[in-house]
Amino acid sequence: VSGTGVFWEHLCISKSIILVGVQGDCSIIDGRFTGDVITICADEVSISGFMIQHSGAGEQNAGIVVSGNNCSIMQNTIYDNFQGIILKQSIKNIQIVDNKISDNGWNGITLNSGCTGIHIFGNTIADNFYAGIGISEASNNYIYHNNFKTNRHQAYDDAANIWDDGYPSGGNYWSDYTGFDDDGDGFGDTPYAIPEGINIDRYPLMAPYAGEDTIP
């Protein structure tokens, strides 16, 4: 299914579907500042190429709320919602790839307890009021090659997750990283510590990530 234009609605997806905005940010889904803009409650849903904006202002309101497994959110702009993306409890195998997630009223992305097998890479996560990514009691997830820019808190994570893709692939770009790159390999010489737990990005990028990933 594809679409273009401005859609003033709340979209609830209850079956497996591929939803594509054919003109990028010209395909807008606007929640008119109420509720959740898109709710995914089915498995194997793919959303790409939309601008998703203006959810309600409740703590659990978001541009996209996901409670299905094996879904992908790719190449969207998720802007000016209360939360950008919320992954509900215990969902598995979600790919969040190459999105622009900015100016949301709380977190850019929130992972709730029990989420596992979540791959978050190639995104620009900027200017979100609280955290770029917040993870609570959700382990075995992978976050790398993202650009974290001027979020109040870039990230927090109290569980056990992977915040880089090893060497020489590297980790994430953090606009508040204060380390140095004395050996000139493009990675900071000291890890970037993720608050709230023991996780670190071992290979923080010295410049914003601008390459292309292969989807695992």
Side-chain angles (χ1 to χ4, degrees):
V1 176
S2 64
T4 184
V6 181
F7 303 92
W8 305 92
E9 61 182 306
H10 302 91
L11 184 61
C12 183
I13 301 174
S14 57
K15 63 180 180 180
S16 176
I17 194 172
I18 298 173
L19 191 65
V20 180
V22 296
Q23 293 183 355
D25 288 355
C26 293
S27 299
I28 301 170
I29 303 177
D30 192 306
R32 296 188 179 184
F33 299 103
T34 63
D36 304 318
V37 184
I38 297 177
T39 303
I40 299 173
C41 50
D43 295 342
E44 299 182 4
V45 172
S46 175
I47 297 176
S48 62
F50 286 92
M51 185 168 187
I52 300 160
Q53 63 186 25
H54 299 160
S55 80
E59 181 180 354
Q60 297 303 315
N61 287 150
I64 302 177
V65 175
V66 184
S67 57
N69 301 306
N70 305 312
C71 296
S72 63
I73 300 168
M74 302 176 62
Q75 299 177 335
N76 302 283
T77 296
I78 302 169
Y79 168 79
D80 194 22
N81 304 281
F82 188 73
Q83 301 213 47
I85 300 171
I86 295 176
L87 304 184
K88 303 292 276 188
Q89 292 182 347
S90 301
I91 63 171
K92 299 178 180 179
N93 302 328
I94 307 296
Q95 298 202 21
I96 301 175
V97 182
D98 197 23
N99 300 281
K100 298 175 183 177
I101 304 170
S102 72
D103 297 277
N104 296 289
W106 199 246
N107 292 347
I109 304 172
T110 295
L111 276 66
N112 284 311
S113 62
C115 291
T116 187
I118 313 300
H119 287 75
I120 302 172
F121 60 90
N123 303 282
T124 295
I125 304 170
D127 298 307
N128 296 287
F129 180 78
Y130 192 72
I133 294 180
I135 301 178
S136 298
E137 300 179 357
S139 294
N140 300 314
N141 303 293
Y142 304 86
I143 306 100
Y144 58 90
H145 292 178
N146 302 287
N147 296 320
F148 291 87
K149 299 180 178 181
T150 58
N151 305 283
R152 181 191 290 188
H153 306 284
Q154 304 283 40
Y156 64 85
D157 179 3
D158 64 5
N161 296 291
I162 305 298
W163 286 84
D164 62 68
D165 193 36
Y167 190 90
S169 181
N172 303 278
Y173 171 77
W174 309 90
S175 63
D176 59 346
Y177 178 67
T178 57
F180 298 95
D181 178 20
D182 290 337
D183 58 5
D185 64 354
F187 306 127
D189 297 330
T190 54
Y192 182 94
I194 312 300
E196 301 281 323
I198 60 172
N199 296 281
I200 59 172
D201 180 346
R202 297 173 298 169
Y203 303 105
L205 306 178
M206 296 302 295
Y209 183 78
E212 295 183 358
D213 285 301
T214 300
I215 299 172

